[in-house]
PDB file of all heavy atoms in Angstrom:
ATOM      1  N   GLN X  20      -7.712  -4.566   0.149  1.00  0.00           N
ATOM      2  CA  GLN X  20      -7.505  -5.977  -0.192  1.00  0.00           C
ATOM      3  C   GLN X  20      -6.582  -6.655   0.805  1.00  0.00           C
ATOM      4  O   GLN X  20      -6.841  -7.767   1.247  1.00  0.00           O
ATOM      5  CB  GLN X  20      -6.920  -6.099  -1.605  1.00  0.00           C
ATOM      6  CG  GLN X  20      -7.900  -5.854  -2.717  1.00  0.00           C
ATOM      7  CD  GLN X  20      -8.925  -6.970  -2.802  1.00  0.00           C
ATOM      8  OE1 GLN X  20      -8.584  -8.133  -2.935  1.00  0.00           O
ATOM      9  NE2 GLN X  20     -10.181  -6.602  -2.709  1.00  0.00           N
ATOM     10  N   CYS X  21      -5.504  -5.992   1.180  1.00  0.00           N
ATOM     11  CA  CYS X  21      -4.549  -6.558   2.138  1.00  0.00           C
ATOM     12  C   CYS X  21      -5.119  -6.581   3.554  1.00  0.00           C
ATOM     13  O   CYS X  21      -4.859  -7.518   4.319  1.00  0.00           O
ATOM     14  CB  CYS X  21      -3.245  -5.765   2.119  1.00  0.00           C
ATOM     15  SG  CYS X  21      -2.340  -5.904   0.573  1.00  0.00           S
ATOM     16  N   ALA X  22      -5.895  -5.571   3.905  1.00  0.00           N
ATOM     17  CA  ALA X  22      -6.443  -5.461   5.261  1.00  0.00           C
ATOM     18  C   ALA X  22      -7.388  -6.610   5.586  1.00  0.00           C
ATOM     19  O   ALA X  22      -7.526  -6.984   6.752  1.00  0.00           O
ATOM     20  CB  ALA X  22      -7.160  -4.128   5.429  1.00  0.00           C
ATOM     21  N   ARG X  23      -7.999  -7.190   4.599  1.00  0.00           N
ATOM     22  CA  ARG X  23      -8.933  -8.298   4.829  1.00  0.00           C
ATOM     23  C   ARG X  23      -8.241  -9.520   5.429  1.00  0.00           C
ATOM     24  O   ARG X  23      -8.901 -10.397   5.973  1.00  0.00           O
ATOM     25  CB  ARG X  23      -9.591  -8.691   3.503  1.00  0.00           C
ATOM     26  CG  ARG X  23     -10.463  -7.603   2.940  1.00  0.00           C
ATOM     27  CD  ARG X  23     -10.976  -7.878   1.534  1.00  0.00           C
ATOM     28  NE  ARG X  23     -11.234  -9.267   1.262  1.00  0.00           N
ATOM     29  CZ  ARG X  23     -10.962  -9.864   0.096  1.00  0.00           C
ATOM     30  NH1 ARG X  23     -10.414  -9.173  -0.889  1.00  0.00           N
ATOM     31  NH2 ARG X  23     -11.235 -11.127  -0.096  1.00  0.00           N
ATOM     32  N   PHE X  24      -6.915  -9.558   5.367  1.00  0.00           N
ATOM     33  CA  PHE X  24      -6.190 -10.748   5.810  1.00  0.00           C
ATOM     34  C   PHE X  24      -5.262 -10.477   6.988  1.00  0.00           C
ATOM     35  O   PHE X  24      -4.285 -11.187   7.197  1.00  0.00           O
ATOM     36  CB  PHE X  24      -5.417 -11.340   4.630  1.00  0.00           C
ATOM     37  CG  PHE X  24      -6.318 -11.600   3.454  1.00  0.00           C
ATOM     38  CD1 PHE X  24      -6.357 -10.729   2.385  1.00  0.00           C
ATOM     39  CD2 PHE X  24      -7.170 -12.686   3.467  1.00  0.00           C
ATOM     40  CE1 PHE X  24      -7.212 -10.950   1.323  1.00  0.00           C
ATOM     41  CE2 PHE X  24      -8.041 -12.914   2.406  1.00  0.00           C
ATOM     42  CZ  PHE X  24      -8.062 -12.041   1.338  1.00  0.00           C
ATOM     43  N   CYS X  25      -5.589  -9.460   7.783  1.00  0.00           N
ATOM     44  CA  CYS X  25      -4.765  -9.128   8.953  1.00  0.00           C
ATOM     45  C   CYS X  25      -4.728 -10.261   9.970  1.00  0.00           C
ATOM     46  O   CYS X  25      -3.746 -10.419  10.693  1.00  0.00           O
ATOM     47  CB  CYS X  25      -5.263  -7.854   9.625  1.00  0.00           C
ATOM     48  SG  CYS X  25      -4.708  -6.360   8.808  1.00  0.00           S
ATOM     49  N   GLU X  26      -5.786 -11.037  10.046  1.00  0.00           N
ATOM     50  CA  GLU X  26      -5.855 -12.108  11.032  1.00  0.00           C
ATOM     51  C   GLU X  26      -4.870 -13.245  10.731  1.00  0.00           C
ATOM     52  O   GLU X  26      -4.199 -13.741  11.624  1.00  0.00           O
ATOM     53  CB  GLU X  26      -7.282 -12.666  11.090  1.00  0.00           C
ATOM     54  CG  GLU X  26      -7.539 -13.574  12.254  1.00  0.00           C
ATOM     55  CD  GLU X  26      -7.501 -12.860  13.595  1.00  0.00           C
ATOM     56  OE1 GLU X  26      -7.837 -11.663  13.652  1.00  0.00           O
ATOM     57  OE2 GLU X  26      -7.114 -13.498  14.583  1.00  0.00           O
ATOM     58  N   HIS X  27      -4.784 -13.652   9.469  1.00  0.00           N
ATOM     59  CA  HIS X  27      -3.895 -14.761   9.080  1.00  0.00           C
ATOM     60  C   HIS X  27      -3.223 -14.457   7.737  1.00  0.00           C
ATOM     61  O   HIS X  27      -3.536 -15.088   6.728  1.00  0.00           O
ATOM     62  CB  HIS X  27      -4.677 -16.070   8.970  1.00  0.00           C
ATOM     63  CG  HIS X  27      -5.320 -16.486  10.239  1.00  0.00           C
ATOM     64  ND1 HIS X  27      -4.602 -16.937  11.328  1.00  0.00           N
ATOM     65  CD2 HIS X  27      -6.621 -16.506  10.615  1.00  0.00           C
ATOM     66  CE1 HIS X  27      -5.434 -17.221  12.308  1.00  0.00           C
ATOM     67  NE2 HIS X  27      -6.669 -16.957  11.905  1.00  0.00           N
ATOM     68  N   PRO X  28      -2.289 -13.499   7.709  1.00  0.00           N
ATOM     69  CA  PRO X  28      -1.635 -13.178   6.433  1.00  0.00           C
ATOM     70  C   PRO X  28      -0.676 -14.290   6.000  1.00  0.00           C
ATOM     71  O   PRO X  28      -0.074 -14.959   6.832  1.00  0.00           O
ATOM     72  CB  PRO X  28      -0.879 -11.889   6.731  1.00  0.00           C
ATOM     73  CG  PRO X  28      -0.621 -11.935   8.196  1.00  0.00           C
ATOM     74  CD  PRO X  28      -1.793 -12.661   8.789  1.00  0.00           C
ATOM     75  N   THR X  29      -0.573 -14.461   4.694  1.00  0.00           N
ATOM     76  CA  THR X  29       0.367 -15.432   4.135  1.00  0.00           C
ATOM     77  C   THR X  29       1.399 -14.701   3.284  1.00  0.00           C
ATOM     78  O   THR X  29       1.341 -13.476   3.126  1.00  0.00           O
ATOM     79  CB  THR X  29      -0.364 -16.481   3.275  1.00  0.00           C
ATOM     80  OG1 THR X  29      -0.954 -15.814   2.147  1.00  0.00           O
ATOM     81  CG2 THR X  29      -1.434 -17.214   4.059  1.00  0.00           C
ATOM     82  N   VAL X  30       2.301 -15.446   2.720  1.00  0.00           N
ATOM     83  CA  VAL X  30       3.349 -14.864   1.873  1.00  0.00           C
ATOM     84  C   VAL X  30       2.731 -14.099   0.705  1.00  0.00           C
ATOM     85  O   VAL X  30       3.223 -13.035   0.321  1.00  0.00           O
ATOM     86  CB  VAL X  30       4.315 -15.967   1.382  1.00  0.00           C
ATOM     87  CG1 VAL X  30       5.258 -15.436   0.331  1.00  0.00           C
ATOM     88  CG2 VAL X  30       5.086 -16.558   2.552  1.00  0.00           C
ATOM     89  N   LYS X  31       1.630 -14.607   0.164  1.00  0.00           N
ATOM     90  CA  LYS X  31       0.951 -13.929  -0.949  1.00  0.00           C
ATOM     91  C   LYS X  31       0.496 -12.533  -0.535  1.00  0.00           C
ATOM     92  O   LYS X  31       0.641 -11.568  -1.280  1.00  0.00           O
ATOM     93  CB  LYS X  31      -0.250 -14.757  -1.404  1.00  0.00           C
ATOM     94  CG  LYS X  31      -0.967 -14.176  -2.599  1.00  0.00           C
ATOM     95  CD  LYS X  31      -2.253 -14.915  -2.912  1.00  0.00           C
ATOM     96  CE  LYS X  31      -1.992 -16.371  -3.225  1.00  0.00           C
ATOM     97  NZ  LYS X  31      -3.216 -17.081  -3.646  1.00  0.00           N
ATOM     98  N   HIS X  32      -0.003 -12.403   0.686  1.00  0.00           N
ATOM     99  CA  HIS X  32      -0.467 -11.109   1.182  1.00  0.00           C
ATOM    100  C   HIS X  32       0.720 -10.195   1.494  1.00  0.00           C
ATOM    101  O   HIS X  32       0.659  -8.988   1.258  1.00  0.00           O
ATOM    102  CB  HIS X  32      -1.358 -11.312   2.407  1.00  0.00           C
ATOM    103  CG  HIS X  32      -2.471 -12.277   2.153  1.00  0.00           C
ATOM    104  ND1 HIS X  32      -2.663 -13.395   2.923  1.00  0.00           N
ATOM    105  CD2 HIS X  32      -3.413 -12.313   1.178  1.00  0.00           C
ATOM    106  CE1 HIS X  32      -3.704 -14.068   2.455  1.00  0.00           C
ATOM    107  NE2 HIS X  32      -4.179 -13.433   1.392  1.00  0.00           N
ATOM    108  N   THR X  33       1.787 -10.784   2.003  1.00  0.00           N
ATOM    109  CA  THR X  33       3.015 -10.029   2.258  1.00  0.00           C
ATOM    110  C   THR X  33       3.553  -9.441   0.961  1.00  0.00           C
ATOM    111  O   THR X  33       3.968  -8.281   0.911  1.00  0.00           O
ATOM    112  CB  THR X  33       4.075 -10.930   2.913  1.00  0.00           C
ATOM    113  OG1 THR X  33       3.557 -11.435   4.139  1.00  0.00           O
ATOM    114  CG2 THR X  33       5.355 -10.177   3.183  1.00  0.00           C
ATOM    115  N   GLU X  34       3.528 -10.220  -0.105  1.00  0.00           N
ATOM    116  CA  GLU X  34       3.998  -9.738  -1.407  1.00  0.00           C
ATOM    117  C   GLU X  34       3.139  -8.587  -1.915  1.00  0.00           C
ATOM    118  O   GLU X  34       3.647  -7.650  -2.544  1.00  0.00           O
ATOM    119  CB  GLU X  34       4.008 -10.889  -2.409  1.00  0.00           C
ATOM    120  CG  GLU X  34       5.078 -11.917  -2.128  1.00  0.00           C
ATOM    121  CD  GLU X  34       4.938 -13.179  -2.970  1.00  0.00           C
ATOM    122  OE1 GLU X  34       3.952 -13.301  -3.738  1.00  0.00           O
ATOM    123  OE2 GLU X  34       5.819 -14.053  -2.850  1.00  0.00           O
ATOM    124  N   ALA X  35       1.842  -8.628  -1.633  1.00  0.00           N
ATOM    125  CA  ALA X  35       0.957  -7.530  -2.034  1.00  0.00           C
ATOM    126  C   ALA X  35       1.311  -6.245  -1.290  1.00  0.00           C
ATOM    127  O   ALA X  35       1.307  -5.155  -1.875  1.00  0.00           O
ATOM    128  CB  ALA X  35      -0.500  -7.917  -1.794  1.00  0.00           C
ATOM    129  N   VAL X  36       1.646  -6.358  -0.007  1.00  0.00           N
ATOM    130  CA  VAL X  36       2.071  -5.181   0.770  1.00  0.00           C
ATOM    131  C   VAL X  36       3.391  -4.658   0.204  1.00  0.00           C
ATOM    132  O   VAL X  36       3.570  -3.445   0.052  1.00  0.00           O
ATOM    133  CB  VAL X  36       2.201  -5.519   2.272  1.00  0.00           C
ATOM    134  CG1 VAL X  36       2.855  -4.377   3.031  1.00  0.00           C
ATOM    135  CG2 VAL X  36       0.836  -5.838   2.863  1.00  0.00           C
ATOM    136  N   HIS X  37       4.306  -5.550  -0.136  1.00  0.00           N
ATOM    137  CA  HIS X  37       5.571  -5.130  -0.754  1.00  0.00           C
ATOM    138  C   HIS X  37       5.301  -4.341  -2.035  1.00  0.00           C
ATOM    139  O   HIS X  37       5.975  -3.330  -2.301  1.00  0.00           O
ATOM    140  CB  HIS X  37       6.435  -6.343  -1.089  1.00  0.00           C
ATOM    141  CG  HIS X  37       7.102  -6.949   0.097  1.00  0.00           C
ATOM    142  ND1 HIS X  37       7.850  -8.090   0.013  1.00  0.00           N
ATOM    143  CD2 HIS X  37       7.146  -6.585   1.401  1.00  0.00           C
ATOM    144  CE1 HIS X  37       8.324  -8.409   1.204  1.00  0.00           C
ATOM    145  NE2 HIS X  37       7.900  -7.500   2.060  1.00  0.00           N
ATOM    146  N   HIS X  38       4.333  -4.786  -2.825  1.00  0.00           N
ATOM    147  CA  HIS X  38       4.007  -4.098  -4.078  1.00  0.00           C
ATOM    148  C   HIS X  38       3.521  -2.670  -3.792  1.00  0.00           C
ATOM    149  O   HIS X  38       3.936  -1.719  -4.460  1.00  0.00           O
ATOM    150  CB  HIS X  38       2.940  -4.883  -4.840  1.00  0.00           C
ATOM    151  CG  HIS X  38       2.748  -4.424  -6.244  1.00  0.00           C
ATOM    152  ND1 HIS X  38       3.387  -5.012  -7.306  1.00  0.00           N
ATOM    153  CD2 HIS X  38       2.024  -3.413  -6.762  1.00  0.00           C
ATOM    154  CE1 HIS X  38       3.043  -4.399  -8.419  1.00  0.00           C
ATOM    155  NE2 HIS X  38       2.216  -3.414  -8.109  1.00  0.00           N
ATOM    156  N   ILE X  39       2.652  -2.523  -2.797  1.00  0.00           N
ATOM    157  CA  ILE X  39       2.149  -1.194  -2.431  1.00  0.00           C
ATOM    158  C   ILE X  39       3.305  -0.284  -2.024  1.00  0.00           C
ATOM    159  O   ILE X  39       3.392   0.869  -2.450  1.00  0.00           O
ATOM    160  CB  ILE X  39       1.128  -1.287  -1.277  1.00  0.00           C
ATOM    161  CG1 ILE X  39      -0.118  -2.043  -1.713  1.00  0.00           C
ATOM    162  CG2 ILE X  39       0.756   0.110  -0.768  1.00  0.00           C
ATOM    163  CD1 ILE X  39      -1.055  -2.400  -0.573  1.00  0.00           C
ATOM    164  N   VAL X  40       4.195  -0.805  -1.204  1.00  0.00           N
ATOM    165  CA  VAL X  40       5.301   0.015  -0.697  1.00  0.00           C
ATOM    166  C   VAL X  40       6.288   0.345  -1.816  1.00  0.00           C
ATOM    167  O   VAL X  40       6.853   1.445  -1.849  1.00  0.00           O
ATOM    168  CB  VAL X  40       5.980  -0.664   0.510  1.00  0.00           C
ATOM    169  CG1 VAL X  40       7.186   0.123   0.976  1.00  0.00           C
ATOM    170  CG2 VAL X  40       4.972  -0.807   1.650  1.00  0.00           C
ATOM    171  N   ARG X  41       6.473  -0.543  -2.755  1.00  0.00           N
ATOM    172  CA  ARG X  41       7.319  -0.220  -3.917  1.00  0.00           C
ATOM    173  C   ARG X  41       6.691   0.893  -4.753  1.00  0.00           C
ATOM    174  O   ARG X  41       7.377   1.733  -5.307  1.00  0.00           O
ATOM    175  CB  ARG X  41       7.554  -1.470  -4.762  1.00  0.00           C
ATOM    176  CG  ARG X  41       8.556  -2.402  -4.151  1.00  0.00           C
ATOM    177  CD  ARG X  41       8.915  -3.532  -5.114  1.00  0.00           C
ATOM    178  NE  ARG X  41       9.911  -4.381  -4.519  1.00  0.00           N
ATOM    179  CZ  ARG X  41       9.663  -5.568  -3.983  1.00  0.00           C
ATOM    180  NH1 ARG X  41       8.431  -6.047  -3.989  1.00  0.00           N
ATOM    181  NH2 ARG X  41      10.630  -6.275  -3.458  1.00  0.00           N
ATOM    182  N   PHE X  42       5.362   0.902  -4.839  1.00  0.00           N
ATOM    183  CA  PHE X  42       4.671   1.989  -5.515  1.00  0.00           C
ATOM    184  C   PHE X  42       4.919   3.305  -4.780  1.00  0.00           C
ATOM    185  O   PHE X  42       5.223   4.328  -5.397  1.00  0.00           O
ATOM    186  CB  PHE X  42       3.167   1.699  -5.595  1.00  0.00           C
ATOM    187  CG  PHE X  42       2.344   2.862  -6.050  1.00  0.00           C
ATOM    188  CD1 PHE X  42       2.339   3.245  -7.381  1.00  0.00           C
ATOM    189  CD2 PHE X  42       1.574   3.590  -5.156  1.00  0.00           C
ATOM    190  CE1 PHE X  42       1.585   4.328  -7.816  1.00  0.00           C
ATOM    191  CE2 PHE X  42       0.820   4.666  -5.569  1.00  0.00           C
ATOM    192  CZ  PHE X  42       0.834   5.037  -6.904  1.00  0.00           C
ATOM    193  N   LEU X  43       4.824   3.267  -3.455  1.00  0.00           N
ATOM    194  CA  LEU X  43       5.074   4.472  -2.660  1.00  0.00           C
ATOM    195  C   LEU X  43       6.508   4.960  -2.806  1.00  0.00           C
ATOM    196  O   LEU X  43       6.758   6.167  -2.818  1.00  0.00           O
ATOM    197  CB  LEU X  43       4.767   4.205  -1.181  1.00  0.00           C
ATOM    198  CG  LEU X  43       3.299   4.050  -0.815  1.00  0.00           C
ATOM    199  CD1 LEU X  43       3.162   3.622   0.635  1.00  0.00           C
ATOM    200  CD2 LEU X  43       2.549   5.338  -1.079  1.00  0.00           C
ATOM    201  N   ALA X  44       7.446   4.034  -2.929  1.00  0.00           N
ATOM    202  CA  ALA X  44       8.857   4.417  -3.085  1.00  0.00           C
ATOM    203  C   ALA X  44       9.059   5.237  -4.358  1.00  0.00           C
ATOM    204  O   ALA X  44       9.884   6.151  -4.387  1.00  0.00           O
ATOM    205  CB  ALA X  44       9.736   3.176  -3.109  1.00  0.00           C
ATOM    206  N   GLY X  45       8.299   4.935  -5.383  1.00  0.00           N
ATOM    207  CA  GLY X  45       8.426   5.663  -6.642  1.00  0.00           C
ATOM    208  C   GLY X  45       7.587   6.915  -6.725  1.00  0.00           C
ATOM    209  O   GLY X  45       7.735   7.711  -7.652  1.00  0.00           O
ATOM    210  N   THR X  46       6.677   7.101  -5.769  1.00  0.00           N
ATOM    211  CA  THR X  46       5.768   8.259  -5.818  1.00  0.00           C
ATOM    212  C   THR X  46       5.775   9.027  -4.501  1.00  0.00           C
ATOM    213  O   THR X  46       4.755   9.588  -4.100  1.00  0.00           O
ATOM    214  CB  THR X  46       4.332   7.796  -6.140  1.00  0.00           C
ATOM    215  OG1 THR X  46       3.899   6.884  -5.120  1.00  0.00           O
ATOM    216  CG2 THR X  46       4.243   7.143  -7.495  1.00  0.00           C
ATOM    217  N   ARG X  47       6.913   9.056  -3.837  1.00  0.00           N
ATOM    218  CA  ARG X  47       7.033   9.744  -2.532  1.00  0.00           C
ATOM    219  C   ARG X  47       6.511  11.172  -2.548  1.00  0.00           C
ATOM    220  O   ARG X  47       5.919  11.637  -1.596  1.00  0.00           O
ATOM    221  CB  ARG X  47       8.506   9.816  -2.126  1.00  0.00           C
ATOM    222  CG  ARG X  47       9.014   8.695  -1.384  1.00  0.00           C
ATOM    223  CD  ARG X  47      10.429   9.057  -0.899  1.00  0.00           C
ATOM    224  NE  ARG X  47      11.007   7.916  -0.258  1.00  0.00           N
ATOM    225  CZ  ARG X  47      11.946   7.151  -0.792  1.00  0.00           C
ATOM    226  NH1 ARG X  47      12.425   7.424  -1.965  1.00  0.00           N
ATOM    227  NH2 ARG X  47      12.404   6.127  -0.130  1.00  0.00           N
ATOM    228  N   GLU X  48       6.791  11.876  -3.606  1.00  0.00           N
ATOM    229  CA  GLU X  48       6.494  13.308  -3.667  1.00  0.00           C
ATOM    230  C   GLU X  48       5.068  13.608  -4.111  1.00  0.00           C
ATOM    231  O   GLU X  48       4.692  14.767  -4.215  1.00  0.00           O
ATOM    232  CB  GLU X  48       7.478  14.005  -4.608  1.00  0.00           C
ATOM    233  CG  GLU X  48       8.939  13.808  -4.239  1.00  0.00           C
ATOM    234  CD  GLU X  48       9.272  14.321  -2.842  1.00  0.00           C
ATOM    235  OE1 GLU X  48       8.760  15.386  -2.463  1.00  0.00           O
ATOM    236  OE2 GLU X  48      10.037  13.639  -2.134  1.00  0.00           O
ATOM    237  N   GLU X  49       4.274  12.584  -4.376  1.00  0.00           N
ATOM    238  CA  GLU X  49       2.903  12.808  -4.821  1.00  0.00           C
ATOM    239  C   GLU X  49       1.951  12.759  -3.639  1.00  0.00           C
ATOM    240  O   GLU X  49       2.280  12.237  -2.584  1.00  0.00           O
ATOM    241  CB  GLU X  49       2.511  11.762  -5.866  1.00  0.00           C
ATOM    242  CG  GLU X  49       3.329  11.879  -7.133  1.00  0.00           C
ATOM    243  CD  GLU X  49       2.947  10.852  -8.164  1.00  0.00           C
ATOM    244  OE1 GLU X  49       1.867  10.245  -8.046  1.00  0.00           O
ATOM    245  OE2 GLU X  49       3.737  10.659  -9.090  1.00  0.00           O
ATOM    246  N   GLY X  50       0.756  13.294  -3.826  1.00  0.00           N
ATOM    247  CA  GLY X  50      -0.257  13.280  -2.781  1.00  0.00           C
ATOM    248  C   GLY X  50      -1.281  14.364  -3.027  1.00  0.00           C
ATOM    249  O   GLY X  50      -1.246  15.053  -4.041  1.00  0.00           O
ATOM    250  N   ILE X  51      -2.178  14.516  -2.102  1.00  0.00           N
ATOM    251  CA  ILE X  51      -3.220  15.529  -2.209  1.00  0.00           C
ATOM    252  C   ILE X  51      -2.790  16.726  -1.383  1.00  0.00           C
ATOM    253  O   ILE X  51      -2.445  16.601  -0.215  1.00  0.00           O
ATOM    254  CB  ILE X  51      -4.564  14.995  -1.683  1.00  0.00           C
ATOM    255  CG1 ILE X  51      -5.013  13.799  -2.513  1.00  0.00           C
ATOM    256  CG2 ILE X  51      -5.617  16.093  -1.678  1.00  0.00           C
ATOM    257  CD1 ILE X  51      -6.220  13.090  -1.943  1.00  0.00           C
ATOM    258  N   ILE X  52      -2.807  17.884  -2.006  1.00  0.00           N
ATOM    259  CA  ILE X  52      -2.495  19.124  -1.304  1.00  0.00           C
ATOM    260  C   ILE X  52      -3.752  19.982  -1.343  1.00  0.00           C
ATOM    261  O   ILE X  52      -4.237  20.338  -2.415  1.00  0.00           O
ATOM    262  CB  ILE X  52      -1.313  19.867  -1.958  1.00  0.00           C
ATOM    263  CG1 ILE X  52      -0.068  18.987  -1.914  1.00  0.00           C
ATOM    264  CG2 ILE X  52      -1.076  21.203  -1.271  1.00  0.00           C
ATOM    265  CD1 ILE X  52       1.100  19.539  -2.685  1.00  0.00           C
ATOM    266  N   LEU X  53      -4.286  20.291  -0.181  1.00  0.00           N
ATOM    267  CA  LEU X  53      -5.479  21.115  -0.103  1.00  0.00           C
ATOM    268  C   LEU X  53      -5.079  22.562   0.105  1.00  0.00           C
ATOM    269  O   LEU X  53      -4.355  22.900   1.021  1.00  0.00           O
ATOM    270  CB  LEU X  53      -6.368  20.637   1.054  1.00  0.00           C
ATOM    271  CG  LEU X  53      -6.835  19.194   0.975  1.00  0.00           C
ATOM    272  CD1 LEU X  53      -7.610  18.832   2.226  1.00  0.00           C
ATOM    273  CD2 LEU X  53      -7.672  18.972  -0.259  1.00  0.00           C
ATOM    274  N   SER X  54      -5.572  23.430  -0.780  1.00  0.00           N
ATOM    275  CA  SER X  54      -5.275  24.861  -0.711  1.00  0.00           C
ATOM    276  C   SER X  54      -6.589  25.642  -0.694  1.00  0.00           C
ATOM    277  O   SER X  54      -7.124  25.978  -1.742  1.00  0.00           O
ATOM    278  CB  SER X  54      -4.426  25.289  -1.909  1.00  0.00           C
ATOM    279  OG  SER X  54      -3.219  24.598  -1.943  1.00  0.00           O
ATOM    280  N   PRO X  55      -7.123  25.922   0.487  1.00  0.00           N
ATOM    281  CA  PRO X  55      -8.393  26.649   0.523  1.00  0.00           C
ATOM    282  C   PRO X  55      -8.234  28.089   0.055  1.00  0.00           C
ATOM    283  O   PRO X  55      -7.302  28.789   0.436  1.00  0.00           O
ATOM    284  CB  PRO X  55      -8.790  26.597   1.996  1.00  0.00           C
ATOM    285  CG  PRO X  55      -7.536  26.316   2.744  1.00  0.00           C
ATOM    286  CD  PRO X  55      -6.611  25.618   1.806  1.00  0.00           C
ATOM    287  N   LYS X  56      -9.145  28.512  -0.819  1.00  0.00           N
ATOM    288  CA  LYS X  56      -9.172  29.895  -1.314  1.00  0.00           C
ATOM    289  C   LYS X  56     -10.625  30.351  -1.379  1.00  0.00           C
ATOM    290  O   LYS X  56     -11.447  29.682  -2.007  1.00  0.00           O
ATOM    291  CB  LYS X  56      -8.539  30.002  -2.701  1.00  0.00           C
ATOM    292  CG  LYS X  56      -7.054  29.802  -2.726  1.00  0.00           C
ATOM    293  CD  LYS X  56      -6.512  30.034  -4.102  1.00  0.00           C
ATOM    294  CE  LYS X  56      -5.005  29.849  -4.099  1.00  0.00           C
ATOM    295  NZ  LYS X  56      -4.405  30.150  -5.367  1.00  0.00           N
TER     296      LYS X  56
END
């Protein structure tokens, strides 16, 4: 959603990026761990 506005981002799009990064701040330790067996 945010990538669609790389050409002319506005404050609304900046706030959306802030929201994503705030989510990442709370979930730093999460992710996909691949363990082949």
Side-chain angles (χ1 to χ4, degrees):
Q20 285 291 304
C21 294
R23 295 172 34 219
F24 306 101
C25 279
E26 192 67 30
H27 299 290
T29 64
V30 171
K31 183 188 300 185
H32 307 124
T33 301
E34 290 170 356
V36 171
H37 284 176
H38 192 95
I39 295 169
V40 176
R41 284 188 178 103
F42 170 75
L43 289 173
T46 60
R47 272 188 185 105
E48 303 301 320
E49 295 180 16
I51 298 172
I52 299 172
L53 301 176
S54 300
K56 290 185 179 184

